[in-house]
Amino acid sequence: MRLSCTVQRRDRQLASMAMLSKKASASVLSIGTKSGGGDVAILHHTITTKENASYKVKGNILKVFTKFIEEGKATISFAAPPHDLMIQAGDKIQLKAFLNSIRLVLQGKELSRGAGGLSSLDSTVKVTRPKIKLVVTNRADYPVLEGFPRTLRHLQITGIERTKFDNRILLLNQLHILDLSDNRLTLIPRGLGDLPNLSELCLSNNSLGSRSTEPGAWDWLRGLRLPSCLHKLDLSSNNISVLPSFLRECTALAILKLDSNQLNVLPSGIGKMQSLRYLSAANNKLKFLPGSMTLKHIDHLDVSQNPFTGDCITTSIVTLKTLSLKELAARCVIAYKIPVSEAVIPWTVLRFMQGCDFCACGSACFNPAHSTIIHSNLRKIAGTVILGPGDSASVPFRMSRCVDRCLRSKFAELISS
């Protein structure tokens, strides 16, 4: 059996002398025997060296470290020579199969020769550098049968009018940049949110708006990994009419492009996105901006070509009310960023939390007793502001007041006056 991977070989004797080990390089690991028989061994083939290192298996493996096996990483520690092979495989399934072969050999079980079994260590093995970038701009070049190399870090599939997301992309754990612009995609699978390294996602000029209001259409934004690693998101030109409130949970998002959609409002918690530095939502139907945006300062803001009529439902002070235990608990969960999902709390409670507004003081508030429209200059919240012909820098913001803090202070002001 052979495993294509990246291997860094660490000599423990050199480490004891404070000497650096060799850098990681493209490699092939083979487990098998020579044609004349003998002990089962692991052969390490590399591009950089002509001589292949050989390691006996039985009685020679000190330990196999598999703590990060789900990330395609493992380390095999040998007694002689005193080397540690630190393996990074693009396909964790193949890595598990390779380690399973080692386990069976150590248990004294016989393995057949051929695929999935023992390889011949006499045959020549060609080691090639892993492919890390793939660009597909023509239908004829699409890898229908061969699939995508598991080592890809950058995948671009643009301008081929694909209507369905290829689920094989969900297996690319090394992927950092995914560009699917200029297609006709209508739905993104939830599994995309589980990719551990995806930092840039471009979905511009697709048809996501046709199903954006369906239940679960945005669940990929709530995956296990995406909220904490996504740095750039481009949803321009998708005819989107509504964005999910849990977009604010993408804590690493720094660049957000929403141009040329059908948005009437932005998510109320967009101002709570701590890493956000670039926001572009030009050519939409925005009537006002959420008041939470006044809580932060970003580098670049483009909300040109929007009507900004200020039309929205506002409420005035009628009476103070006592917050329910449900509201208090939800506020604490949001304030302390406690991760929750439908697997932890009921779906109705989760929707209640996602529909919260944010007060000018930064606190989450539910069904605010007081909300109003104020006009403020965009240059107060952004370093660079893009304005179109005839656009004003003063736009409406919908400001809400939380009951237990700001609204009580407002009542105190009214009473004292």
Side-chain angles (χ1 to χ4, degrees), residues 6-24:
T6 300
V7 176
Q8 181 177 7
R9 187 172 65 195
R10 185 171 72 95
D11 191 327
R12 294 194 299 276
Q13 288 181 337
L14 295 181
S16 64
M17 295 183 287
M19 297 178 64
L20 297 177
S21 303
K22 293 185 177 180
K23 294 182 179 180

Side-chain angles (χ1 to χ4, degrees), residues 191-250:
L192 185 67
D194 296 333
L195 290 181
N197 296 299
L198 189 60
S199 60
E200 294 187 20
L201 178 59
C202 182
L203 298 171
S204 63
N205 200 18
N206 277 279
S207 302
L208 299 181
S210 62
R211 302 180 65 179
S212 62
T213 58
E214 293 182 12
W218 297 99
D219 281 356
W220 54 275
L221 280 172
R222 301 166 56 203
L224 296 175
R225 301 294 185 90
L226 197 68
S228 59
C229 66
L230 187 63
H231 174 80
K232 178 181 178 180
L233 177 61
D234 190 350
L235 296 173
S236 303
S237 303
N238 270 280
N239 204 33
I240 298 171
S241 59
V242 61
L243 288 171
S245 58
F246 50 79
L247 179 65
R248 68 173 185 270
E249 297 175 8
C250 294

Side-chain angles (χ1 to χ4, degrees), residues 7 16 71 77 114 116-117 129 146 158 176 186 216 225 265 276 301 343 350 362 395 399 412:
V7 176
S16 64
E71 298 179 13
S77 183
R129 297 189 183 277
E146 60 271 28
T158 56
H176 285 71
T186 59
R225 301 294 185 90
V265 295
L276 190 63
L301 177 63
L350 188 62
V395 301
M399 306 296 296

Side-chain angles (χ1 to χ4, degrees), residues 5-9 25-30 42-47 49-55 83 85 121 127:
C5 55
T6 300
V7 176
Q8 181 177 7
R9 187 172 65 195
S25 62
S27 307
V28 172
L29 295 178
S30 302
I42 294 176
L43 206 59
H44 179 203
H45 313 265
T46 65
I47 295 179
T49 58
K50 295 182 179 180
E51 295 184 1
N52 302 319
S54 179
Y55 304 92
H83 291 171
L85 298 186
L121 300 185
V127 182

Side-chain angles (χ1 to χ4, degrees), residues 29-42:
L29 295 178
S30 302
I31 181 170
T33 60
K34 294 187 176 181
S35 57
D39 296 328
V40 177
I42 294 176

Side-chain angles (χ1 to χ4, degrees), residues 67-336:
K67 182 178 181 180
F68 299 101
I69 188 71
E70 294 301 323
E71 298 179 13
K73 299 177 182 178
T75 299
I76 305 175
S77 183
F78 296 96
H83 291 171
D84 295 334
L85 298 186
M86 292 174 281
I87 305 168
Q88 171 71 69
D91 189 345
K92 66 179 181 181
I93 296 177
Q94 291 185 3
L95 176 59
K96 288 179 180 180
F98 186 83
L99 296 179
N100 185 57
S101 297
I102 296 176
R103 181 179 61 83
L104 294 176
V105 171
L106 294 176
Q107 292 175 351
K109 297 182 178 181
E110 294 292 333
L111 292 179
S112 60
R113 287 187 173 273
L118 297 178
S119 302
S120 173
L121 300 185
D122 295 318
S123 58
T124 303
V125 176
K126 183 179 180 180
V127 182
T128 57
R129 297 189 183 277
K131 192 169 186 177
I132 62 174
K133 184 176 181 179
L134 177 63
V135 177
V136 179
T137 56
N138 191 306
R139 284 189 173 218
D141 299 330
Y142 197 84
V144 177
L145 299 178
E146 60 271 28
F148 303 104
R150 300 294 177 85
T151 54
L152 284 181
R153 291 175 175 266
H154 185 161
L155 176 59
Q156 177 182 336
I157 305 173
T158 56
I160 62 173
E161 297 187 349
R162 280 193 65 87
T163 59
K164 187 177 180 181
F165 187 94
D166 193 333
N167 285 334
R168 293 178 296 178
I169 296 175
L170 305 181
L171 301 175
L172 305 179
N173 288 328
Q174 306 301 317
L175 197 62
H176 285 71
I177 301 174
L178 178 59
D179 186 353
L180 300 176
S181 58
D182 301 315
N183 285 286
R184 291 189 294 172
L185 299 176
T186 59
L187 194 66
I188 304 299
R190 180 169 185 167
L192 185 67
D194 296 333
L195 290 181
N197 296 299
L198 189 60
S199 60
E200 294 187 20
L201 178 59
C202 182
L203 298 171
S204 63
N205 200 18
N206 277 279
S207 302
L208 299 181
S210 62
R211 302 180 65 179
S212 62
T213 58
E214 293 182 12
W218 297 99
D219 281 356
W220 54 275
L221 280 172
R222 301 166 56 203
L224 296 175
R225 301 294 185 90
L226 197 68
S228 59
C229 66
L230 187 63
H231 174 80
K232 178 181 178 180
L233 177 61
D234 190 350
L235 296 173
S236 303
S237 303
N238 270 280
N239 204 33
I240 298 171
S241 59
V242 61
L243 288 171
S245 58
F246 50 79
L247 179 65
R248 68 173 185 270
E249 297 175 8
C250 294
T251 55
L253 194 60
I255 301 174
L256 178 59
K257 296 184 178 181
L258 304 169
D259 302 317
S260 302
N261 282 294
Q262 301 295 318
L263 295 171
N264 291 308
V265 295
L266 295 178
S268 62
I270 198 168
K272 300 291 288 184
M273 299 171 68
Q274 297 179 352
S275 301
L276 190 63
R277 293 293 177 268
Y278 183 107
L279 175 60
S280 182
N283 193 24
N284 277 276
K285 297 180 179 180
L286 297 178
K287 299 177 181 179
F288 56 89
L289 294 179
S292 63
M293 290 187 63
T294 61
L295 302 175
K296 68 181 287 94
H297 190 277
I298 62 177
D299 298 332
H300 180 99
L301 177 63
D302 184 0
V303 287
S304 58
Q305 302 180 51
N306 281 284
F308 286 124
T309 59
D311 297 336
C312 72
I313 299 175
T314 59
T315 55
S316 59
I317 302 174
V318 178
T319 182
L320 291 176
K321 65 176 182 177
T322 303
L323 289 180
S324 67
L325 182 60
K326 180 181 177 181
E327 292 175 317
L328 290 172
R331 178 182 290 184
C332 288
V333 170
I334 294 172
Y336 293 102

Side-chain angles (χ1 to χ4, degrees), residues 222 326 329-330 333 339-355:
R222 301 166 56 203
K326 180 181 177 181
V333 170
V340 292
S341 66
E342 58 267 29
V344 179
I345 61 176
W347 171 242
T348 53
V349 178
L350 188 62
R351 290 196 64 182
F352 172 77
M353 292 178 53
Q354 292 170 353

